[in-house]
Amino acid sequence: MLGASLRRLREERDLTREEAGFHIRASESKISRMELGRVGFKTRDVEDLLTLYGVVDDAERRQLLEMVREANTPGWWHKFGEVLPGWFVTFIGLEEAASVIRTYEVQFVPGLLQTSAYARSVIRLGFPDATDDEIERRVHVRMQRQERLAHAGGPRLWAVIDEAALRRPIGGPKIMREQIEHLLDVARLPNITLQVMPFRFGMHAAEGGAFTILRFPESDLSDVVYVEQLWGALYLDKREDIDPYLTAMEQLCVESTTPGGTRDLLDDLLREKVYADL
């Protein structure tokens, strides 16, 4: 979140990234990476930028410089860096800091709501050449990401799942039945809202695909939209880029099942022959 604060301060002074980079003997791209949280922070660089941005209040400077230490302290997920792509390590860090997570998924159940068996099947599909140990380490990361949801003060999760993801039998009927039962369980938690975009709507506001919107407790920090691609991801934090996703998410929530309707749909799925006979 230090990067977002530095970006806000720079924009308030109407300075370009190139001008900021010149001041700390760095390139425009380094400033961009700092503001996106994709590079480590040097205390001297941050001190010089704060001076350039006119931050002279001692308390404010101390608070921001303390964020340098926090930003450079590896999170629990960094020890799994050998099995996680760098662009996803960034996402986990943002997810850990978020107070509200809104997500729309088309192909799979969202990672934060997956069972270990379902997650294992999804990861094997994505990494067919991975060893069993690598698969298990990735599954462990996914399960550990879910732990914040059960803690007091954890984030609020609002998930919209396309009906197609619930009808795609990832891992086979037994694993899928267990996954649907798990969704029924977590949908009862007070900090989780679960909706389904049903087939009957046909075209809808998010035909472009899956995305996640992260909101942070600090009021001066902008939302971040995460859009995952085949091998990489986009992180959007400018208002003109975020607004279309916020609009799409709001429309999805209006058109999708209510929480009660979600439970009814999941119960109906479990009564279908492919699951009822298990």
Side-chain angles (χ1 to χ4, degrees):
M1 298 303 98
L2 174 59
S5 296
L6 291 174
R7 179 180 66 94
R8 174 181 56 80
L9 290 168
R10 175 180 60 77
E11 291 177 345
E12 287 176 354
R13 300 288 288 187
D14 199 25
L15 293 168
T16 67
R17 290 190 178 96
E18 183 179 8
E19 290 169 329
F22 179 80
H23 189 74
I24 64 168
R25 304 156 298 280
S27 65
E28 176 184 357
S29 63
K30 179 177 178 178
I31 297 296
S32 178
R33 292 195 300 274
M34 289 175 67
E35 292 180 353
L36 290 171
R38 297 182 182 176
V39 68
F41 296 91
K42 294 181 179 179
T43 301
R44 177 183 172 184
D45 287 344
V46 175
E47 287 177 335
D48 289 347
L49 287 174
L50 293 180
T51 299
L52 175 65
Y53 299 157
V55 180
V56 295
D57 180 75
D58 287 342
E60 185 177 5
R61 288 181 71 95
R62 281 197 303 271
Q63 181 182 17
L64 289 164
L65 290 172
E66 174 62 18
M67 291 174 70
V68 174
R69 185 190 65 77
E70 294 175 357
N72 289 333
T73 301
W76 63 262
W77 55 93
H78 282 275
K79 64 183 178 182
F80 298 95
E82 73 277 9
V83 296
L84 297 175
W87 49 266
F88 193 68
V89 170
T90 299
F91 173 73
I92 297 178
L94 292 170
E95 184 182 74
E96 286 283 310
S99 58
V100 180
I101 303 168
R102 303 178 73 184
T103 187
Y104 169 63
E105 275 291 350
V106 183
Q107 188 170 1
F108 304 112
V109 170
L112 289 175
L113 298 177
Q114 293 177 5
T115 65
S116 59
Y118 182 96
R120 190 172 293 107
S121 299
V122 171
I123 292 169
R124 284 196 181 280
L125 286 172
F127 301 91
D129 298 326
T131 65
D132 288 345
D133 179 66
E134 290 170 343
I135 295 293
E136 291 309 311
R137 286 173 66 79
R138 287 187 170 96
V139 171
H140 179 78
V141 170
R142 193 158 300 183
M143 295 301 102
Q144 191 160 343
R145 285 169 53 207
Q146 298 178 9
E147 291 183 4
R148 282 188 70 224
L149 295 173
H151 293 165
R156 174 171 174 76
L157 174 63
W158 195 323
V160 179
I161 307 174
D162 197 280
E163 185 175 346
L166 300 175
R167 292 190 174 275
R168 183 171 289 109
I170 301 296
K174 183 177 180 181
I175 287 176
M176 200 64 205
R177 179 183 176 87
E178 180 188 55
Q179 176 63 68
I180 294 171
E181 290 173 338
H182 178 66
L183 290 176
L184 280 167
D185 290 338
V186 298
R188 297 185 179 95
L189 296 176
N191 60 322
I192 294 179
T193 299
L194 182 60
Q195 295 183 267
V196 176
M197 169 50 67
F199 283 149
R200 67 176 182 269
F201 269 95
M203 296 289 289
H204 56 75
E207 289 293 337
F211 62 92
T212 298
I213 304 171
L214 302 168
R215 180 160 293 173
F216 306 97
E218 296 84 2
S219 60
D220 61 335
L221 296 181
S222 68
D223 295 347
V224 172
V225 174
Y226 171 80
V227 183
E228 189 169 315
Q229 299 170 328
L230 183 61
W231 197 247
L234 295 176
Y235 293 89
L236 309 174
D237 63 352
K238 293 186 179 299
R239 178 53 55 190
E240 61 268 26
D241 296 327
I242 296 170
D243 281 348
Y245 287 93
L246 289 171
T247 300
M249 180 60 78
E250 293 296 336
Q251 192 62 36
L252 280 169
C253 292
V254 169
E255 296 176 347
S256 297
T257 58
T258 64
T262 298
R263 289 190 290 272
D264 291 342
L265 189 151
L266 294 174
D267 281 333
D268 288 344
L269 278 174
L270 292 177
R271 283 193 289 268
E272 291 185 1
K273 182 175 177 57
V274 66
Y275 301 126
D277 293 342
L278 292 177

